[in-house]
Amino acid sequence: MAAPLPLPALHATHAGIWLADDSGDAREAQRGEAIARAAETPHILLNAPLVGQRLGYPDLSGLDLLELFAFLHPARFAVPTIAGLSRALGLEPPAGESGSAGHLRRLAERLLADLADSDWAEREGAWTANATLHRLGWGWAPLVAARIERPEAGERMLFARLPVWEEAAERPPPRTISVDPAEAEARLAELTGAGSEPREGQRAMAAAAAGLFAPRRAEGAPNLLLAEAGTGIGKTLAYLAPASLWAAAAGGTVWISTFTKALQRQLDAEGARLFADKGERTRRIAIRKGRENYLCLLNLEDAMQGAFAGRAAILAHLVGRWAAYSKDGDMVGGDLPGWLPSLFRRAGAAALTDRRGECVYAGCPHYRRCFIERSERAGREADLVIANHALVMINAARSRETGTPFIVFDEGHHLHDAADSTFAVAFGGQEAIEMRRWIVGPEGRARGRRRGLAARLMDVASYDEEGLQALDAAVEAAKALPSDGWLQRLVEGDPFGPVEALLAEVRGTVYARAKAQDAGYGLETELAEPDGALVAAAARALETLESLQKPLAALARRLEAVLEDAPDWLDSQARARVEGAIHGLGWRRETLGAWIALLGRIGGSADVDFVDWLAIERAEGREYDVAIHRRWLDPTRPLAATVLAPAQGVLFTSATLRGGGSDWPIAEQRTGTIHLPGPARRFEADSPFDYAACAEVLIVTDIKPGDVAALAGAYARLIEAAGGGSLGLFTAIQRLKAVHARIADRLARAGLPLIAQHVDPMDAGTLVDIFRDDPHTSLLGTDALRDGVDVPGESLRLVVMERVPWPRPTVLHAARRMAFGGSAYDDRVVRARLAQAFGRLIRRQGDRGQFVILSAAMPSRLLTAFPAATPVRRVGLDEAIARVAAATPPVPATILPPVGVGA
Ligand code: SF4
């Protein structure tokens, strides 16, 4: 190891603040002193935004170890805590908070020493990247430069190091074959491995799932199977067994669709059982996500060449390091550390993906190395494509990837909500300005490579007179859409153009009619009985949209004609650019059509299939959008028509397909099978877990509703009794924040770190990683965590819900409640949420846990949400605490007291 670094270090948690001087001596410090010292001299620290938050000094900067780790070991996983980073580097974590500041220096020494290690796997490109980072003022760069050896030959450019995908002939359609249930069972036995006990429910499910692959009997009538498989059945292997048999024999692809990233990762890991050879596995199993998840190399190049400045530019170069080593270029939930963008206060990360659909396809110099193109091609060739519900639906709706004959919707209980967002329409300032930018291009002082439609189609326009006219007309019409500063103009009562005028009317109507639901957050009102001014403004805005729609349609026709009657200059690059433009235009015209339909309804008769409302979006009291929203009353109708009906077979599975109840019609309604001919087959298998012995539900009866101090006290005492390992679920962000602010210090001083969504500057995935990594840590969160946490074992032994999760009384909810059963509809929503939350607790054999609801108002009729054998007790807080303490296992000897979670 190299000589000690002559640098001080700073460590701050809810338990205190520690400084280590440049010789390594550490001591506790006061906040003011720590801030002053950090402002004077760069300190080594870990996760600057989090430490800054602990100090109440959000602009804190310093030598962040996480940035250095991301530079040295891009695409390598590490939990962003002192203990997590230590383990990633093979070091023993420190024994307590007081030793942590000194330990930060050892971590830095270790990382810098790795620069000289001849086995450093990610060396290529590092010297060149550091030279640029030096120029950009990255704090670590001089320290790295002093230790890294200059390569003898020049390093290859990042883009030259990425693999090129190969074009392949189109795959022939799959053969029509059936899968024998007995063969599916045999395949399952192979997958679970010799010697392992076959699970009856799993075996039966594999046999039932085999029926999916029989040839369908009529067009629009796919084979349908609803399979409710209790937690622990092993349902993924149960459907992978017949799916892999069919794919191999038929030469086709089965799409496995999930909702959470946790399941996507689990399925990816199961791939090792299907194909032991890594190369074969990569060929036969593809992971697909929406294109907005992937790094766009053209955007990255642009950012690295000057479109990004300051800290955002440093992030771009660290992302560039990662891109060269990434498995698939997935920036969201892939191998880019989820914490990396947070270190840069999220500046710039989203702009590195292709969120706005500006891809120029083969017109792009990186097309042959593009991660998105590579993933699409891998999907075409694969046996199994692991995707998410949204992507499967969007692909089907845009008819981009036809030939998806068999689909397995795992986490099928989320299908309704996924369809709800996929088929939603929103016409507001943010959406309209995006449309304007896509057509008009950058205006004012905008920087970067973004170009308008005219610039992207210059060569076509110069060749085709009609095309040029359509293009000019489209650009002219788009200038009537909102532009920068639109919201300010609305607030000042000075809107520009018919669309801004409409949004001003919408905003006025919302303020006049809406009831605030949650101070500082969104406001909304039903789109009903609009007054004359709103109707007139909608009519003028509608004309504007129609005057844009016409030239876009004409342009699309001209582009298609150019492709058909190709001129001499239309080489393959230009052709691909035109194809890309046609695709992009199709997507924009679809959006425009939906907006026009929405505006056309204002002042006319309501369409019973839709729920429309007006909204002002706000965060912490600050407005950021004004919009008109439209949702399907029953979003499974478009789901059934566009996704399910064209398929050959669809399997829906979940532990709670019937929403925590026992009614199959609920499952049929929530999956959309009710809209298809022929009955869906049903399968159910109970969980093998002994819930009577391993779980318990405690309903606490003596917390006064609305008493935040009592609520916070109850959380603190329960978490203490459990020794951490608790997941706290809230229905309102404000209450979560209030509880966290009251108890975080107290718990931290007891060695029980508390982290929280909406409080700690980290994404939900990173918070879950930290929670999973340390059984003493507890996590507070809202809806997203209720579904996305998959933490088997010791780290999660207590779930605490603050109250019964009734649906928020939104316009949309009121309409669905009225249409689908009144209070019974509410009950179904709550039951499903309780079942999901309870499902976090017992993930595998041997798990134990308690589920506490801090509300006496929990109706007994909803208790069917929990597995039948689970004991349910209504108790006072003291007894609940005693029961939790009695059930808490001794802290595993191998686990040290927690350090450096930043709690
Ligand atoms: S092909 Fe499109 S998405 Fe891919 S790198 Fe180029 S511009 Fe970006």
Side-chain angles (χ1 to χ4, degrees):
M1 189 165 286
L5 277 177
L7 286 170
L10 164 61
H11 173 62
T13 74
H14 278 292
I17 300 164
W18 290 265
L19 290 170
D21 65 21
D22 52 14
S23 63
D25 293 335
R27 63 182 170 83
E28 245 189 298
Q30 292 301 314
R31 185 176 156 265
E33 186 202 353
I35 293 173
R37 286 191 177 269
E40 224 168 68
T41 318
H43 280 56
I44 298 170
L45 39 76
L46 191 142
N47 196 341
L50 188 66
V51 175
Q53 190 206 52
R54 299 293 184 253
L55 294 178
Y57 181 57
D59 293 335
L60 179 79
S61 61
L63 293 165
D64 198 324
L65 287 168
L66 293 176
E67 290 178 25
L68 184 59
F69 181 83
F71 174 84
L72 264 124
H73 302 300
R76 208 189 280 187
F77 179 79
V79 176
T81 60
I82 294 181
L85 199 61
S86 301
R87 279 194 284 276
L89 295 173
L91 295 177
E92 190 70 17
E97 299 283 15
S98 58
S100 292
H103 190 76
L104 290 174
R105 288 165 38 84
R106 284 191 285 286
L107 288 169
E109 284 158 11
R110 170 57 193 266
L111 280 164
L112 291 172
D114 281 354
L115 292 163
D117 186 344
S118 55
D119 292 335
W120 177 26
E122 302 97 343
R123 176 181 297 277
E124 186 170 17
W127 187 89
T128 312
N130 192 59
T132 311
L133 284 164
H134 207 324
R135 282 198 298 280
L136 292 170
W138 187 46
W140 287 109
L143 294 156
V144 171
R147 290 162 176 81
I148 194 169
E149 207 175 307
R150 185 180 185 138
E152 280 171 17
E155 292 183 306
R156 286 183 299 160
M157 288 279 293
L158 158 69
F159 302 105
R161 282 187 279 142
L162 295 173
V164 173
W165 49 258
E166 296 295 332
E167 198 65 87
E170 203 165 313
R171 210 173 177 196
R175 291 172 51 218
T176 302
I177 58 149
S178 296
V179 176
D180 182 346
E183 282 178 31
E185 288 178 32
R187 175 78 171 131
L188 175 67
E190 242 174 66
L191 296 177
T192 50
S196 83
E197 198 60 25
R199 283 175 274 183
E200 178 50 31
Q202 189 184 34
R203 190 199 55 68
M205 183 168 163
L212 196 73
F213 299 96
R216 74 175 175 186
R217 298 220 317 277
E219 193 184 3
N223 303 318
L224 301 169
L225 175 63
L226 298 167
E228 187 172 89
T231 313
I233 288 289
K235 61 180 161 34
T236 50
L237 285 182
Y239 60 68
L240 286 174
S244 57
L245 281 179
W246 178 85
T253 303
V254 179
W255 282 63
I256 316 283
S257 182
T258 70
F259 187 74
T260 61
K261 294 197 170 84
L263 181 60
Q264 226 173 42
R265 273 193 224 134
Q266 186 198 326
L267 277 160
D268 194 19
E270 301 278 26
R273 296 187 195 231
L274 291 168
F275 307 107
D277 177 71
K278 193 165 172 226
E280 190 181 10
R281 189 155 73 240
T282 314
R283 270 195 318 281
R284 310 272 290 266
I285 303 180
I287 299 217
R288 291 285 316 276
K289 293 189 179 174
R291 55 187 303 124
E292 68 286 353
N293 286 274
Y294 294 93
L295 173 69
C296 164
L297 294 172
L298 194 54
N299 284 352
L300 175 68
E301 182 180 34
D302 199 37
M304 288 166 63
Q305 289 182 353
F308 282 16
R311 290 277 295 159
I314 292 174
L315 171 65
H317 284 274
L318 291 179
V319 170
R321 282 279 293 146
W322 160 79
Y325 296 94
S326 170
K327 176 178 149 201
D328 56 8
D330 175 5
M331 290 185 73
V332 189
D335 53 15
L336 180 77
W339 40 259
L340 186 60
S342 315
L343 298 182
F344 294 82
R345 276 91 176 168
R346 308 208 76 76
L352 295 175
T353 60
D354 180 39
R355 264 185 328 138
R356 301 192 176 103
E358 290 178 308
C359 174
V360 286
Y361 299 89
C364 166
H366 310 301
Y367 182 59
R368 297 295 306 279
R369 299 177 198 274
C370 171
F371 288 118
I372 303 170
E373 294 297 323
R374 193 185 336 152
S375 114
E376 279 194 16
R377 274 162 184 78
R380 282 181 217 160
E381 298 298 313
D383 285 10
L384 302 172
V385 174
I386 300 166
N388 57 39
H389 295 349
L391 181 70
V392 170
M393 290 179 205
I394 289 166
N395 278 351
R398 297 201 179 132
S399 310
R400 285 212 65 202
E401 284 165 73
T402 47
T404 311
F406 294 105
I407 311 171
V408 174
F409 285 111
D410 201 336
E411 300 182 312
H413 58 281
H414 280 300
L415 210 49
H416 183 279
D417 291 350
D420 197 21
S421 348
T422 303
F423 300 105
V425 177
F427 176 55
Q430 303 278 9
E431 297 268 342
I433 205 168
E434 276 304 317
M435 175 78 81
R436 176 190 175 114
R437 286 179 185 150
W438 189 79
I439 296 168
V440 177
E443 296 172 280
R445 285 178 299 149
R447 301 203 307 168
R449 75 168 177 91
R450 303 191 59 187
R451 296 191 299 165
L453 201 49
R456 295 202 292 273
L457 291 173
M458 190 63 82
D459 44 5
V460 185
S462 63
Y463 158 84
D464 186 85
E465 182 57 32
E466 255 184 81
L468 178 62
Q469 280 171 10
L471 193 52
D472 286 346
V475 171
E476 222 26 62
K479 287 185 180 159
L481 294 174
S483 56
D484 286 339
W486 67 274
L487 191 52
Q488 187 62 28
R489 287 193 290 279
L490 255 59
V491 172
E492 289 165 0
D494 186 24
F496 173 80
V499 174
E500 289 188 17
L502 169 63
L503 296 176
E505 289 298 332
V506 168
R507 185 170 175 273
T509 307
V510 175
Y511 273 120
R513 299 184 183 185
K515 268 206 329 248
Q517 291 175 1
D518 207 348
Y521 293 90
L523 290 174
E524 59 174 44
T525 187
E526 193 182 348
L527 175 44
E529 308 281 334
D531 67 17
L534 179 63
V535 175
R540 285 191 292 274
L542 182 66
E543 278 172 29
T544 303
L545 297 186
E546 282 173 345
S547 67
L548 176 58
Q549 192 187 38
K550 283 186 197 125
L552 288 183
L555 184 58
R557 280 197 302 278
R558 286 314 306 156
L559 292 176
E560 271 154 20
V562 166
L563 283 188
E564 264 169 38
D565 184 15
D568 298 346
W569 55 265
L570 196 78
D571 57 14
S572 61
Q573 289 240 338
R575 168 176 283 276
R577 203 163 57 252
V578 174
E579 281 169 353
I582 292 173
H583 173 60
L585 275 174
W587 173 10
R588 293 313 187 291
R589 286 171 57 209
E590 224 176 77
T591 306
L592 216 43
W595 290 352
I596 287 170
L598 181 55
L599 297 197
R601 166 253 185 280
I602 299 179
S605 56
D607 187 332
V608 293
D609 283 338
F610 297 104
V611 184
D612 300 336
W613 72 95
L614 314 175
I616 297 173
E617 318 293 350
R618 303 189 302 178
E620 316 254 328
R622 207 176 58 80
E623 289 180 32
Y624 62 88
D625 202 6
V626 176
I628 309 171
H629 292 270
R630 161 166 282 192
R631 294 283 174 106
W632 282 82
L633 183 65
D634 177 2
T636 65
R637 288 186 50 198
L639 169 72
T642 55
V643 184
L644 309 183
Q648 297 276 335
V650 188
L651 164 62
F652 308 84
T653 185
S654 157
T656 56
L657 204 56
R658 290 177 288 174
S662 55
D663 289 347
W664 281 107
I666 301 295
E668 283 159 3
Q669 216 171 60
R670 303 285 292 180
T671 54
T673 56
I674 198 167
H675 303 300
L676 294 171
R681 285 186 304 125
R682 297 166 180 177
F683 172 87
E684 69 185 291
D686 286 340
S687 166
F689 300 145
D690 180 2
Y691 285 106
C694 70
E696 160 175 63
V697 174
L698 299 169
I699 300 167
V700 174
T701 53
D702 53 359
I703 307 272
K704 219 166 92 210
D707 186 343
V708 175
L711 185 69
Y715 264 101
R717 291 178 64 200
L718 284 163
I719 291 171
E720 282 163 356
S726 308
L727 174 66
L729 295 173
F730 288 77
T731 54
I733 296 172
Q734 283 193 325
R735 271 196 305 282
L736 180 156
K737 288 182 174 175
V739 166
H740 179 271
R742 281 179 149 88
I743 66 175
D745 289 6
R746 161 181 169 177
L747 290 171
R749 283 194 293 272
L752 301 173
L754 182 68
I755 50 176
Q757 211 190 358
H758 308 291
V759 175
D760 291 314
M762 286 179 275
D763 64 300
T766 299
L767 291 172
V768 174
D769 285 340
I770 293 174
F771 178 56
R772 184 186 289 116
D773 195 50
D774 174 12
H776 297 275
T777 293
S778 298
L779 171 60
L780 304 184
T782 51
D783 285 16
L785 291 185
R786 190 180 56 226
D787 301 314
V789 175
D790 189 16
V791 179
E794 278 300 299
S795 290
L796 176 51
R797 44 193 184 270
L798 176 68
V799 173
V800 184
M801 277 193 126
E802 50 139 358
R803 55 167 71 178
V804 184
W806 294 110
R808 274 172 24 102
T810 59
V811 171
L812 181 61
H813 171 71
R816 288 188 179 148
R817 186 179 193 275
M818 197 186 291
F820 299 116
S823 63
Y825 178 77
D826 285 349
D827 284 0
R828 287 203 296 275
V829 173
V830 178
R831 248 188 235 111
R833 289 178 178 176
L834 288 172
Q836 271 311 303
F838 181 86
R840 306 303 97 210
L841 210 48
I842 312 294
R843 307 300 297 164
R844 66 179 182 202
Q845 206 61 259
D847 281 0
R848 303 176 62 80
Q850 288 157 305
F851 188 91
V852 177
I853 302 170
L854 295 172
S855 167
M858 171 79 191
S860 299
R861 66 178 187 279
L862 301 179
L863 298 177
T864 51
F866 305 114
T870 317
V872 179
R873 296 186 174 87
R874 290 183 187 266
V875 295
L877 180 62
D878 288 343
E879 188 182 341
I881 288 165
R883 296 194 72 86
V884 168
T888 297
V891 175
T894 51
I895 292 167
L896 295 162
V899 286
V901 177

